[in-house]
Each structure stands twice: as C-alpha cells, then as structure tokens.
Amino acid sequence: MIIPRDDGSRQWAFRKKPLYTYIQDLDDAGDGAGKEGSKRPAFNGNAKGHEVEGRAIVELQPASWMKLPLGITVAEIRTASGQVLSTPNDYPLYTFDGMTGDSTAERGWSPVEAPQLALPVGDFSILARGDGMNQWVYRGKPLYRFDGDLLDGD
C-alpha cells in the first residue's frame, strides 16, 4: 500500500506502517543512499538489502507472525510470485468461491482436513462437513488442495 507523507510525497507501507531503507546501504558513489537529501535509490549493486533487477525487495515472513494450525504453513511458491498457504510439503492451498459438494472431489479438489479435536486458530476456523469430515477454513473460505499439483511448488 502507499501512504501520504506530511511533505505531500507518498511512501510504500506494509500494514499501514511506512517502509524505510537502511541508511548505511551505500550507492555506487559511496554515499549513504536513503540519507536525507539523497536522490539516489537506497538499493543498488552495493546495498546490503535484497535487490532484483534494480528494485528493492521487502522480504516478509508471515509464518513468523501468523497463527497457523498444525499442518498448514506459508511457503514461497515461485510460480505464484509470492508466498501462499501450503501443506508442509509446499503444495499450495486454494479457496473456491462456487458451490461445493461431492462433484468438487471429482474435479480433483480435496478438502484440507482438520483433525476432529482441532480448535480455531487466528484467521482459521473449522467447517463441519456433511460427510463427517472437518475442513479448515481461512477467513470464511474453505481450503482445498488440487490433486493435479504433483511436485513441490506446483
């Protein structure tokens, strides 16, 4: 997200908190990029932070602050260009906005099963399905695994 600054400029933010560069990351001229008055970008070939194709990268690790139920993790999925909810084996999890039912399984979608004694945690709740299975739900949407995902990161 982008937030307004007091001086009228705009700044990148995460969870409404402004993002900054480290003042000792040096640019090619050797001065501290990101210092007040510096017009150079804070990240470049000499920067200590992450850079991809000349752009600064903010590395988030949601698994360190998210409350996750046992059996659900957050993984970097390169084909998704980011992090997703996944199984411990790095198979991504999905939600489905349409009608669910027995035909869902026929199309290759398996519900993500919650243990019978599981309790809601963080943004995760539990759906008691008509077939007797408990299914994990994330922010009100049931979670599924696609049976066609055969390799880590599919």
Side-chain angles (χ1 to χ4, degrees):
M1 106 184 300
I2 298 175
I3 59 172
R5 293 176 45 96
D6 292 340
D7 64 3
S9 63
R10 300 178 334 150
Q11 181 173 359
W12 283 105
F14 176 69
R15 292 184 163 186
K16 299 181 183 178
K17 302 288 185 192
L19 296 175
Y20 295 92
T21 56
Y22 182 56
I23 195 143
Q24 292 186 5
D25 282 345
L26 303 177
D27 66 10
D28 291 334
D31 63 349
K35 282 185 182 174
E36 202 170 310
S38 173
K39 301 213 187 283
R40 293 186 176 87
F43 288 91
N44 58 36
N46 293 330
K48 296 175 184 138
H50 297 287
E51 178 188 0
V52 175
E53 296 177 5
R55 293 198 166 103
I57 302 299
V58 176
E59 185 176 338
L60 301 176
Q61 297 177 344
S64 66
W65 46 265
M66 280 181 77
K67 292 181 181 177
L68 298 167
L70 187 63
I72 295 179
T73 65
V74 177
E76 181 80 23
I77 305 290
R78 295 183 193 276
T79 56
S81 298
Q83 297 176 333
V84 299
L85 294 175
S86 67
T87 67
N89 295 332
D90 293 338
Y91 293 109
L93 301 180
Y94 303 87
T95 62
F96 181 65
D97 288 330
M99 298 290 291
T100 59
D102 294 333
S103 61
T104 306
E106 293 171 13
R107 293 190 301 253
W109 297 97
S110 299
V112 178
E113 187 171 0
Q116 291 296 322
L117 296 177
L119 297 173
V121 58
D123 289 328
F124 295 86
S125 57
I126 300 165
L127 169 68
R129 296 168 44 99
D131 60 7
M133 173 192 275
N134 285 342
Q135 182 176 5
W136 282 116
V137 175
Y138 180 70
R139 293 186 175 176
K141 297 189 176 206
L143 291 174
Y144 294 88
R145 196 174 108 52
F146 181 56
D147 299 334
D149 289 338
L150 302 176
L151 302 172
D152 308 14
D154 274 358

